Amino acid sequence: MRTLRALAFLFALTSAGTLHAATVYKCVDAKGAVSFQDRPCAANTRQQTIAMPDPPPPPAAVVPPPEEPIAPVAELEPPQPLPGPPPPVFYLCTRYDGTRYISDTGEGGSALVPLGVLGVPGRSLADAYSPQNSIGVSAPGLRQIPHVPMRNAPFGGMSTWIDDECHDASPREACAYLRQSLNDVRYKLTKAFSDTTPELKRQEADILERMRGC
């Protein structure tokens, strides 16, 4: 027990960071009891001095490295929307009777049209065959159509070529035309026979392909 107390005392002396070259006194009294202390022993005891070594220097303080400044996080730009299909590009051509059709090259067709359709004789075909003028109906076999003297209509039997007019359709005009054409084809499909259905289906597929950019 005395040995343990002595070791504890020595450990306390050596671990105290403020002591330098400490001197420990070993005291033995008349009964042989041993004690260690940091001051001289009493007069009636045997004394022995023990020079303790300097305690090791305290470890150097660890200085953390300076923190690197955190670079600001660049703001991510919102993702750009993927480009959609381009708008339809084609020409719209108009025939002499007002009907229209698509041309990819801008070249339209031509039609050989009687001058009477254009009103060159002075009156249209509708006027010529109206009941008011008593010429008669144009359906063959229903009534014999009277002949008009040459002097009355010198150009009535002549015809001329009429070129269709074409123009570059704007995206809005092109999409409107395609939507109307699609409605027309689908209506025809509801009335079509088996021999005309494949062609109408082909037309429908072609219109839908052109409408991808609408």
Side-chain angles (χ1 to χ4, degrees):
M1 182 63 70
R2 285 183 297 179
T3 302
L4 292 177
R5 285 197 297 270
L7 291 176
F9 177 73
L10 292 175
F11 176 77
L13 288 176
T14 56
S15 62
T18 57
L19 298 179
H20 299 280
T23 300
V24 177
Y25 298 91
K26 178 181 178 181
C27 303
V28 182
D29 59 12
K31 297 182 179 180
V34 180
S35 61
F36 295 89
Q37 57 190 41
D38 58 351
R39 59 184 179 277
C41 301
N44 58 349
T45 58
R46 242 173 342 136
Q47 174 178 290
Q48 181 184 355
T49 59
I50 302 173
M52 302 298 296
D54 291 340
V62 179
V63 179
E67 295 184 359
E68 296 183 0
I70 301 176
V73 179
E75 296 184 0
L76 298 178
E77 296 183 359
Q80 298 296 326
L82 296 177
V89 177
F90 54 79
Y91 295 85
L92 273 180
C93 300
T94 305
R95 299 183 182 93
Y96 72 93
D97 59 357
T99 58
R100 299 190 299 172
Y101 60 93
I102 291 175
S103 172
D104 292 318
T105 62
E107 296 181 0
S110 299
L112 187 61
V113 181
L115 291 178
V117 175
L118 304 178
V120 173
R123 54 180 178 175
S124 65
L125 293 181
D127 293 334
Y129 293 108
S130 63
Q132 293 85 350
N133 295 323
S134 302
I135 293 180
V137 295
S138 61
L142 293 182
R143 183 177 178 182
Q144 184 177 2
I145 301 175
H147 295 270
V148 178
M150 182 65 181
R151 62 179 180 275
N152 295 341
F155 304 104
M158 300 177 63
S159 300
T160 186
W161 286 98
I162 301 297
D163 295 331
D164 300 340
E165 295 184 357
C166 301
H167 68 278
D168 189 3
S170 66
R172 182 176 182 180
E173 182 184 17
C175 289
Y177 176 83
L178 291 173
R179 293 189 187 97
Q180 184 59 49
S181 299
L182 182 63
N183 292 336
D184 295 341
V185 169
R186 286 179 171 173
Y187 175 77
K188 292 177 181 178
L189 280 171
T190 62
K191 309 291 184 180
F193 294 100
S194 58
D195 58 336
T196 58
T197 297
E199 173 60 21
L200 291 174
K201 285 288 188 181
R202 187 197 64 78
Q203 295 178 16
E204 181 186 37
D206 179 68
I207 295 173
L208 289 174
E209 179 64 23
R210 291 179 181 270
M211 289 182 63
R212 291 180 58 192
C214 292

